[in-house]
Amino acid sequence: MDTALEATRIIGLLTGRLGSALLDAGEPHADTVRLDVEPSAVRDAAEVLGQEVGARFLITVGMDERPLGRGYAIVHLFSLDRAHLFIALYCTVDPAVARLPAITPVIPAAGW
């Protein structure tokens, strides 16, 4: 499977599903797709990745990006093994709110 073609397909699929809630999408590395989404769309994006794309959930990482002038960030990392592709579902969270919709209803493996 061609990694670049699969990355393009995933970006197109998420663009169509999320519309303006997909803030940015790109390939920072040859084996990685980064999808920046609005907090309200993170569950929908995870559902598309897990159920339609067939990506495997790996881990969720939280980051404190306040020293960089941003808030908190959450990255849900998925793998599309057959394409040798990682998918980073990235979302910033306002420190005043510090909440994000859980993806466990659509990605049960995230409930670790």
Side-chain angles (χ1 to χ4, degrees):
M1 176 174 288
D2 185 304
T3 302
L5 287 176
E6 190 62 14
T8 301
R9 183 183 79 83
I10 291 168
I11 291 170
L13 181 61
L14 269 290
T15 299
R17 291 297 171 86
L18 301 180
S20 63
L22 178 62
L23 302 174
D24 194 19
E27 298 174 61
H29 308 285
D31 65 347
T32 306
V33 172
R34 177 177 162 150
L35 305 165
D36 294 15
V37 299
E38 291 282 352
S40 61
V42 72
R43 185 179 294 167
D44 292 338
E47 183 174 27
V48 169
L49 292 174
Q51 296 179 11
E52 293 182 39
V53 174
R56 179 172 57 93
F57 173 77
L58 297 174
I59 195 164
T60 297
V61 177
M63 297 176 291
D64 183 352
E65 296 187 334
R66 291 174 298 169
L68 302 173
R70 298 186 285 260
Y72 297 116
I74 301 294
V75 179
H76 298 297
L77 188 61
F78 292 81
S79 175
L80 197 54
D81 297 332
R82 68 184 189 280
H84 305 285
L85 187 66
F86 292 106
I87 305 163
L89 183 56
Y90 178 92
C91 183
T92 58
V93 180
D94 181 346
V97 177
R99 293 197 181 274
L100 185 68
I103 65 169
T104 52
V106 296
I107 307 291
W112 51 273

PDB file of all heavy atoms in Angstrom, residues 62-93:
ATOM      1  N   GLY A  62      -0.876  13.723  26.684  1.00  0.00           N
ATOM      2  CA  GLY A  62      -1.231  15.080  27.068  1.00  0.00           C
ATOM      3  C   GLY A  62       0.018  15.934  27.158  1.00  0.00           C
ATOM      4  O   GLY A  62       1.064  15.460  27.610  1.00  0.00           O
ATOM      5  N   MET A  63      -0.091  17.185  26.721  1.00  0.00           N
ATOM      6  CA  MET A  63       1.064  18.082  26.737  1.00  0.00           C
ATOM      7  C   MET A  63       0.654  19.440  27.295  1.00  0.00           C
ATOM      8  O   MET A  63      -0.453  19.914  27.021  1.00  0.00           O
ATOM      9  CB  MET A  63       1.615  18.261  25.317  1.00  0.00           C
ATOM     10  CG  MET A  63       2.132  16.973  24.705  1.00  0.00           C
ATOM     11  SD  MET A  63       2.659  17.174  22.999  1.00  0.00           S
ATOM     12  CE  MET A  63       1.118  17.447  22.163  1.00  0.00           C
ATOM     13  N   ASP A  64       1.538  20.050  28.039  1.00  0.00           N
ATOM     14  CA  ASP A  64       1.342  21.401  28.544  1.00  0.00           C
ATOM     15  C   ASP A  64       2.097  22.341  27.612  1.00  0.00           C
ATOM     16  O   ASP A  64       3.330  22.410  27.640  1.00  0.00           O
ATOM     17  CB  ASP A  64       1.869  21.502  29.971  1.00  0.00           C
ATOM     18  CG  ASP A  64       1.624  22.865  30.594  1.00  0.00           C
ATOM     19  OD1 ASP A  64       1.171  23.792  29.872  1.00  0.00           O
ATOM     20  OD2 ASP A  64       1.876  23.010  31.799  1.00  0.00           O
ATOM     21  N   GLU A  65       1.364  23.046  26.768  1.00  0.00           N
ATOM     22  CA  GLU A  65       1.983  23.954  25.803  1.00  0.00           C
ATOM     23  C   GLU A  65       1.817  25.413  26.208  1.00  0.00           C
ATOM     24  O   GLU A  65       2.024  26.316  25.405  1.00  0.00           O
ATOM     25  CB  GLU A  65       1.396  23.711  24.408  1.00  0.00           C
ATOM     26  CG  GLU A  65       1.716  22.325  23.881  1.00  0.00           C
ATOM     27  CD  GLU A  65       1.285  22.113  22.441  1.00  0.00           C
ATOM     28  OE1 GLU A  65       0.342  22.792  21.980  1.00  0.00           O
ATOM     29  OE2 GLU A  65       1.907  21.268  21.780  1.00  0.00           O
ATOM     30  N   ARG A  66       1.470  25.659  27.473  1.00  0.00           N
ATOM     31  CA  ARG A  66       1.313  27.039  27.942  1.00  0.00           C
ATOM     32  C   ARG A  66       2.606  27.842  27.816  1.00  0.00           C
ATOM     33  O   ARG A  66       2.541  29.021  27.432  1.00  0.00           O
ATOM     34  CB  ARG A  66       0.788  27.060  29.371  1.00  0.00           C
ATOM     35  CG  ARG A  66      -0.675  26.561  29.448  1.00  0.00           C
ATOM     36  CD  ARG A  66      -1.150  26.453  30.864  1.00  0.00           C
ATOM     37  NE  ARG A  66      -0.312  25.470  31.558  1.00  0.00           N
ATOM     38  CZ  ARG A  66      -0.327  25.298  32.878  1.00  0.00           C
ATOM     39  NH1 ARG A  66      -1.112  26.012  33.648  1.00  0.00           N
ATOM     40  NH2 ARG A  66       0.451  24.380  33.429  1.00  0.00           N
ATOM     41  N   PRO A  67       3.775  27.260  28.067  1.00  0.00           N
ATOM     42  CA  PRO A  67       5.004  28.047  27.883  1.00  0.00           C
ATOM     43  C   PRO A  67       5.214  28.497  26.428  1.00  0.00           C
ATOM     44  O   PRO A  67       5.984  29.413  26.165  1.00  0.00           O
ATOM     45  CB  PRO A  67       6.116  27.089  28.319  1.00  0.00           C
ATOM     46  CG  PRO A  67       5.457  26.138  29.262  1.00  0.00           C
ATOM     47  CD  PRO A  67       4.066  25.972  28.712  1.00  0.00           C
ATOM     48  N   LEU A  68       4.525  27.854  25.498  1.00  0.00           N
ATOM     49  CA  LEU A  68       4.630  28.208  24.082  1.00  0.00           C
ATOM     50  C   LEU A  68       3.538  29.187  23.658  1.00  0.00           C
ATOM     51  O   LEU A  68       3.375  29.483  22.475  1.00  0.00           O
ATOM     52  CB  LEU A  68       4.550  26.946  23.222  1.00  0.00           C
ATOM     53  CG  LEU A  68       5.598  25.872  23.511  1.00  0.00           C
ATOM     54  CD1 LEU A  68       5.301  24.611  22.715  1.00  0.00           C
ATOM     55  CD2 LEU A  68       6.988  26.389  23.213  1.00  0.00           C
ATOM     56  N   GLY A  69       2.750  29.659  24.639  1.00  0.00           N
ATOM     57  CA  GLY A  69       1.678  30.601  24.333  1.00  0.00           C
ATOM     58  C   GLY A  69       0.387  29.940  23.899  1.00  0.00           C
ATOM     59  O   GLY A  69      -0.509  30.602  23.389  1.00  0.00           O
ATOM     60  N   ARG A  70       0.305  28.631  24.084  1.00  0.00           N
ATOM     61  CA  ARG A  70      -0.922  27.904  23.746  1.00  0.00           C
ATOM     62  C   ARG A  70      -1.505  27.368  25.048  1.00  0.00           C
ATOM     63  O   ARG A  70      -1.151  27.820  26.123  1.00  0.00           O
ATOM     64  CB  ARG A  70      -0.597  26.786  22.760  1.00  0.00           C
ATOM     65  CG  ARG A  70      -0.026  27.318  21.441  1.00  0.00           C
ATOM     66  CD  ARG A  70       0.156  26.231  20.406  1.00  0.00           C
ATOM     67  NE  ARG A  70       1.289  25.375  20.655  1.00  0.00           N
ATOM     68  CZ  ARG A  70       2.463  25.475  20.057  1.00  0.00           C
ATOM     69  NH1 ARG A  70       2.674  26.426  19.174  1.00  0.00           N
ATOM     70  NH2 ARG A  70       3.437  24.641  20.322  1.00  0.00           N
ATOM     71  N   GLY A  71      -2.398  26.443  24.966  1.00  0.00           N
ATOM     72  CA  GLY A  71      -2.982  25.844  26.156  1.00  0.00           C
ATOM     73  C   GLY A  71      -2.412  24.469  26.389  1.00  0.00           C
ATOM     74  O   GLY A  71      -1.210  24.243  26.300  1.00  0.00           O
ATOM     75  N   TYR A  72      -3.303  23.557  26.675  1.00  0.00           N
ATOM     76  CA  TYR A  72      -2.924  22.154  26.765  1.00  0.00           C
ATOM     77  C   TYR A  72      -3.172  21.527  25.400  1.00  0.00           C
ATOM     78  O   TYR A  72      -3.951  22.035  24.598  1.00  0.00           O
ATOM     79  CB  TYR A  72      -3.750  21.422  27.816  1.00  0.00           C
ATOM     80  CG  TYR A  72      -3.545  21.939  29.212  1.00  0.00           C
ATOM     81  CD1 TYR A  72      -4.588  22.537  29.906  1.00  0.00           C
ATOM     82  CD2 TYR A  72      -2.308  21.836  29.838  1.00  0.00           C
ATOM     83  CE1 TYR A  72      -4.400  23.011  31.194  1.00  0.00           C
ATOM     84  CE2 TYR A  72      -2.119  22.310  31.122  1.00  0.00           C
ATOM     85  CZ  TYR A  72      -3.181  22.897  31.798  1.00  0.00           C
ATOM     86  OH  TYR A  72      -2.985  23.365  33.059  1.00  0.00           O
ATOM     87  N   ALA A  73      -2.527  20.417  25.150  1.00  0.00           N
ATOM     88  CA  ALA A  73      -2.758  19.690  23.899  1.00  0.00           C
ATOM     89  C   ALA A  73      -2.925  18.215  24.223  1.00  0.00           C
ATOM     90  O   ALA A  73      -2.313  17.694  25.156  1.00  0.00           O
ATOM     91  CB  ALA A  73      -1.600  19.880  22.933  1.00  0.00           C
ATOM     92  N   ILE A  74      -3.768  17.586  23.463  1.00  0.00           N
ATOM     93  CA  ILE A  74      -3.986  16.149  23.545  1.00  0.00           C
ATOM     94  C   ILE A  74      -3.718  15.582  22.162  1.00  0.00           C
ATOM     95  O   ILE A  74      -4.198  16.112  21.158  1.00  0.00           O
ATOM     96  CB  ILE A  74      -5.431  15.804  23.953  1.00  0.00           C
ATOM     97  CG1 ILE A  74      -5.782  16.418  25.312  1.00  0.00           C
ATOM     98  CG2 ILE A  74      -5.661  14.298  23.938  1.00  0.00           C
ATOM     99  CD1 ILE A  74      -5.018  15.859  26.480  1.00  0.00           C
ATOM    100  N   VAL A  75      -2.946  14.502  22.113  1.00  0.00           N
ATOM    101  CA  VAL A  75      -2.705  13.812  20.850  1.00  0.00           C
ATOM    102  C   VAL A  75      -3.134  12.366  21.028  1.00  0.00           C
ATOM    103  O   VAL A  75      -2.631  11.664  21.906  1.00  0.00           O
ATOM    104  CB  VAL A  75      -1.221  13.857  20.425  1.00  0.00           C
ATOM    105  CG1 VAL A  75      -1.019  13.098  19.121  1.00  0.00           C
ATOM    106  CG2 VAL A  75      -0.744  15.294  20.291  1.00  0.00           C
ATOM    107  N   HIS A  76      -4.100  11.954  20.226  1.00  0.00           N
ATOM    108  CA  HIS A  76      -4.496  10.543  20.152  1.00  0.00           C
ATOM    109  C   HIS A  76      -3.716   9.966  18.976  1.00  0.00           C
ATOM    110  O   HIS A  76      -3.879  10.415  17.839  1.00  0.00           O
ATOM    111  CB  HIS A  76      -5.999  10.394  19.920  1.00  0.00           C
ATOM    112  CG  HIS A  76      -6.847  10.964  21.016  1.00  0.00           C
ATOM    113  ND1 HIS A  76      -6.823  10.478  22.303  1.00  0.00           N
ATOM    114  CD2 HIS A  76      -7.748  11.972  21.001  1.00  0.00           C
ATOM    115  CE1 HIS A  76      -7.691  11.154  23.040  1.00  0.00           C
ATOM    116  NE2 HIS A  76      -8.254  12.070  22.273  1.00  0.00           N
ATOM    117  N   LEU A  77      -2.870   8.995  19.248  1.00  0.00           N
ATOM    118  CA  LEU A  77      -2.020   8.423  18.209  1.00  0.00           C
ATOM    119  C   LEU A  77      -2.595   7.091  17.729  1.00  0.00           C
ATOM    120  O   LEU A  77      -2.904   6.214  18.538  1.00  0.00           O
ATOM    121  CB  LEU A  77      -0.605   8.228  18.738  1.00  0.00           C
ATOM    122  CG  LEU A  77       0.450   7.826  17.713  1.00  0.00           C
ATOM    123  CD1 LEU A  77       0.592   8.885  16.621  1.00  0.00           C
ATOM    124  CD2 LEU A  77       1.782   7.600  18.394  1.00  0.00           C
ATOM    125  N   PHE A  78      -2.734   6.987  16.420  1.00  0.00           N
ATOM    126  CA  PHE A  78      -3.247   5.784  15.770  1.00  0.00           C
ATOM    127  C   PHE A  78      -2.185   5.256  14.810  1.00  0.00           C
ATOM    128  O   PHE A  78      -1.292   5.985  14.386  1.00  0.00           O
ATOM    129  CB  PHE A  78      -4.511   6.102  14.956  1.00  0.00           C
ATOM    130  CG  PHE A  78      -5.714   6.469  15.780  1.00  0.00           C
ATOM    131  CD1 PHE A  78      -5.873   7.752  16.290  1.00  0.00           C
ATOM    132  CD2 PHE A  78      -6.709   5.537  16.035  1.00  0.00           C
ATOM    133  CE1 PHE A  78      -6.983   8.093  17.038  1.00  0.00           C
ATOM    134  CE2 PHE A  78      -7.823   5.866  16.779  1.00  0.00           C
ATOM    135  CZ  PHE A  78      -7.964   7.149  17.283  1.00  0.00           C
ATOM    136  N   SER A  79      -2.336   3.990  14.430  1.00  0.00           N
ATOM    137  CA  SER A  79      -1.444   3.389  13.453  1.00  0.00           C
ATOM    138  C   SER A  79      -2.268   2.688  12.384  1.00  0.00           C
ATOM    139  O   SER A  79      -3.235   1.988  12.694  1.00  0.00           O
ATOM    140  CB  SER A  79      -0.528   2.371  14.133  1.00  0.00           C
ATOM    141  OG  SER A  79       0.249   1.699  13.167  1.00  0.00           O
ATOM    142  N   LEU A  80      -1.890   2.902  11.162  1.00  0.00           N
ATOM    143  CA  LEU A  80      -2.457   2.156  10.049  1.00  0.00           C
ATOM    144  C   LEU A  80      -1.348   1.220   9.600  1.00  0.00           C
ATOM    145  O   LEU A  80      -0.504   1.567   8.771  1.00  0.00           O
ATOM    146  CB  LEU A  80      -2.909   3.103   8.938  1.00  0.00           C
ATOM    147  CG  LEU A  80      -3.871   2.529   7.919  1.00  0.00           C
ATOM    148  CD1 LEU A  80      -5.105   1.915   8.575  1.00  0.00           C
ATOM    149  CD2 LEU A  80      -4.300   3.597   6.946  1.00  0.00           C
ATOM    150  N   ASP A  81      -1.320   0.058  10.210  1.00  0.00           N
ATOM    151  CA  ASP A  81      -0.194  -0.858  10.074  1.00  0.00           C
ATOM    152  C   ASP A  81       0.101  -1.248   8.633  1.00  0.00           C
ATOM    153  O   ASP A  81       1.256  -1.252   8.215  1.00  0.00           O
ATOM    154  CB  ASP A  81      -0.423  -2.105  10.923  1.00  0.00           C
ATOM    155  CG  ASP A  81      -0.506  -1.782  12.412  1.00  0.00           C
ATOM    156  OD1 ASP A  81       0.105  -0.787  12.845  1.00  0.00           O
ATOM    157  OD2 ASP A  81      -1.195  -2.520  13.130  1.00  0.00           O
ATOM    158  N   ARG A  82      -0.937  -1.562   7.868  1.00  0.00           N
ATOM    159  CA  ARG A  82      -0.697  -2.051   6.502  1.00  0.00           C
ATOM    160  C   ARG A  82      -0.068  -0.982   5.605  1.00  0.00           C
ATOM    161  O   ARG A  82       0.593  -1.292   4.633  1.00  0.00           O
ATOM    162  CB  ARG A  82      -1.974  -2.607   5.897  1.00  0.00           C
ATOM    163  CG  ARG A  82      -3.035  -1.586   5.608  1.00  0.00           C
ATOM    164  CD  ARG A  82      -4.337  -2.238   5.097  1.00  0.00           C
ATOM    165  NE  ARG A  82      -5.271  -1.272   4.623  1.00  0.00           N
ATOM    166  CZ  ARG A  82      -6.084  -0.541   5.388  1.00  0.00           C
ATOM    167  NH1 ARG A  82      -6.042  -0.672   6.698  1.00  0.00           N
ATOM    168  NH2 ARG A  82      -6.912   0.321   4.857  1.00  0.00           N
ATOM    169  N   ALA A  83      -0.264   0.286   5.969  1.00  0.00           N
ATOM    170  CA  ALA A  83       0.319   1.386   5.188  1.00  0.00           C
ATOM    171  C   ALA A  83       1.588   1.934   5.840  1.00  0.00           C
ATOM    172  O   ALA A  83       2.191   2.861   5.303  1.00  0.00           O
ATOM    173  CB  ALA A  83      -0.696   2.516   5.030  1.00  0.00           C
ATOM    174  N   HIS A  84       1.971   1.363   6.977  1.00  0.00           N
ATOM    175  CA  HIS A  84       3.149   1.859   7.704  1.00  0.00           C
ATOM    176  C   HIS A  84       3.015   3.357   7.967  1.00  0.00           C
ATOM    177  O   HIS A  84       3.911   4.144   7.674  1.00  0.00           O
ATOM    178  CB  HIS A  84       4.446   1.552   6.951  1.00  0.00           C
ATOM    179  CG  HIS A  84       4.597   0.105   6.638  1.00  0.00           C
ATOM    180  ND1 HIS A  84       4.934  -0.825   7.602  1.00  0.00           N
ATOM    181  CD2 HIS A  84       4.416  -0.582   5.497  1.00  0.00           C
ATOM    182  CE1 HIS A  84       4.970  -2.021   7.045  1.00  0.00           C
ATOM    183  NE2 HIS A  84       4.665  -1.902   5.774  1.00  0.00           N
ATOM    184  N   LEU A  85       1.842   3.728   8.534  1.00  0.00           N
ATOM    185  CA  LEU A  85       1.502   5.134   8.699  1.00  0.00           C
ATOM    186  C   LEU A  85       0.983   5.389  10.111  1.00  0.00           C
ATOM    187  O   LEU A  85       0.143   4.644  10.610  1.00  0.00           O
ATOM    188  CB  LEU A  85       0.416   5.492   7.674  1.00  0.00           C
ATOM    189  CG  LEU A  85      -0.001   6.931   7.526  1.00  0.00           C
ATOM    190  CD1 LEU A  85       1.140   7.785   6.982  1.00  0.00           C
ATOM    191  CD2 LEU A  85      -1.207   7.033   6.578  1.00  0.00           C
ATOM    192  N   PHE A  86       1.508   6.431  10.744  1.00  0.00           N
ATOM    193  CA  PHE A  86       0.993   6.899  12.024  1.00  0.00           C
ATOM    194  C   PHE A  86       0.050   8.065  11.759  1.00  0.00           C
ATOM    195  O   PHE A  86       0.284   8.869  10.852  1.00  0.00           O
ATOM    196  CB  PHE A  86       2.117   7.367  12.945  1.00  0.00           C
ATOM    197  CG  PHE A  86       2.996   6.244  13.414  1.00  0.00           C
ATOM    198  CD1 PHE A  86       4.271   6.094  12.900  1.00  0.00           C
ATOM    199  CD2 PHE A  86       2.546   5.341  14.361  1.00  0.00           C
ATOM    200  CE1 PHE A  86       5.091   5.074  13.325  1.00  0.00           C
ATOM    201  CE2 PHE A  86       3.359   4.304  14.792  1.00  0.00           C
ATOM    202  CZ  PHE A  86       4.630   4.164  14.274  1.00  0.00           C
ATOM    203  N   ILE A  87      -0.993   8.158  12.574  1.00  0.00           N
ATOM    204  CA  ILE A  87      -1.945   9.259  12.465  1.00  0.00           C
ATOM    205  C   ILE A  87      -2.036   9.923  13.830  1.00  0.00           C
ATOM    206  O   ILE A  87      -2.420   9.289  14.816  1.00  0.00           O
ATOM    207  CB  ILE A  87      -3.331   8.764  12.017  1.00  0.00           C
ATOM    208  CG1 ILE A  87      -3.215   7.966  10.715  1.00  0.00           C
ATOM    209  CG2 ILE A  87      -4.291   9.945  11.859  1.00  0.00           C
ATOM    210  CD1 ILE A  87      -4.412   7.108  10.415  1.00  0.00           C
ATOM    211  N   ALA A  88      -1.663  11.191  13.884  1.00  0.00           N
ATOM    212  CA  ALA A  88      -1.704  11.961  15.123  1.00  0.00           C
ATOM    213  C   ALA A  88      -2.923  12.871  15.092  1.00  0.00           C
ATOM    214  O   ALA A  88      -2.987  13.815  14.301  1.00  0.00           O
ATOM    215  CB  ALA A  88      -0.426  12.779  15.282  1.00  0.00           C
ATOM    216  N   LEU A  89      -3.888  12.567  15.935  1.00  0.00           N
ATOM    217  CA  LEU A  89      -5.100  13.370  16.058  1.00  0.00           C
ATOM    218  C   LEU A  89      -4.849  14.385  17.175  1.00  0.00           C
ATOM    219  O   LEU A  89      -4.851  14.044  18.358  1.00  0.00           O
ATOM    220  CB  LEU A  89      -6.290  12.464  16.375  1.00  0.00           C
ATOM    221  CG  LEU A  89      -7.657  13.101  16.482  1.00  0.00           C
ATOM    222  CD1 LEU A  89      -8.019  13.862  15.217  1.00  0.00           C
ATOM    223  CD2 LEU A  89      -8.697  12.019  16.768  1.00  0.00           C
ATOM    224  N   TYR A  90      -4.565  15.620  16.785  1.00  0.00           N
ATOM    225  CA  TYR A  90      -4.088  16.667  17.685  1.00  0.00           C
ATOM    226  C   TYR A  90      -5.205  17.657  17.988  1.00  0.00           C
ATOM    227  O   TYR A  90      -5.947  18.057  17.083  1.00  0.00           O
ATOM    228  CB  TYR A  90      -2.917  17.390  17.018  1.00  0.00           C
ATOM    229  CG  TYR A  90      -2.329  18.533  17.796  1.00  0.00           C
ATOM    230  CD1 TYR A  90      -1.263  18.324  18.666  1.00  0.00           C
ATOM    231  CD2 TYR A  90      -2.826  19.821  17.664  1.00  0.00           C
ATOM    232  CE1 TYR A  90      -0.705  19.379  19.383  1.00  0.00           C
ATOM    233  CE2 TYR A  90      -2.281  20.877  18.372  1.00  0.00           C
ATOM    234  CZ  TYR A  90      -1.223  20.648  19.233  1.00  0.00           C
ATOM    235  OH  TYR A  90      -0.682  21.684  19.934  1.00  0.00           O
ATOM    236  N   CYS A  91      -5.302  18.046  19.265  1.00  0.00           N
ATOM    237  CA  CYS A  91      -6.338  18.983  19.673  1.00  0.00           C
ATOM    238  C   CYS A  91      -5.808  19.853  20.804  1.00  0.00           C
ATOM    239  O   CYS A  91      -5.221  19.337  21.756  1.00  0.00           O
ATOM    240  CB  CYS A  91      -7.552  18.194  20.134  1.00  0.00           C
ATOM    241  SG  CYS A  91      -8.948  19.215  20.579  1.00  0.00           S
ATOM    242  N   THR A  92      -5.990  21.152  20.715  1.00  0.00           N
ATOM    243  CA  THR A  92      -5.623  22.034  21.815  1.00  0.00           C
ATOM    244  C   THR A  92      -6.837  22.217  22.721  1.00  0.00           C
ATOM    245  O   THR A  92      -7.977  22.178  22.274  1.00  0.00           O
ATOM    246  CB  THR A  92      -5.123  23.404  21.334  1.00  0.00           C
ATOM    247  OG1 THR A  92      -6.139  24.010  20.545  1.00  0.00           O
ATOM    248  CG2 THR A  92      -3.858  23.266  20.517  1.00  0.00           C
ATOM    249  N   VAL A  93      -6.532  22.402  24.002  1.00  0.00           N
ATOM    250  CA  VAL A  93      -7.582  22.540  25.008  1.00  0.00           C
ATOM    251  C   VAL A  93      -7.308  23.799  25.807  1.00  0.00           C
ATOM    252  O   VAL A  93      -6.194  24.001  26.300  1.00  0.00           O
ATOM    253  CB  VAL A  93      -7.607  21.306  25.938  1.00  0.00           C
ATOM    254  CG1 VAL A  93      -8.693  21.431  26.975  1.00  0.00           C
ATOM    255  CG2 VAL A  93      -7.790  20.031  25.121  1.00  0.00           C
TER     256      VAL A  93
END
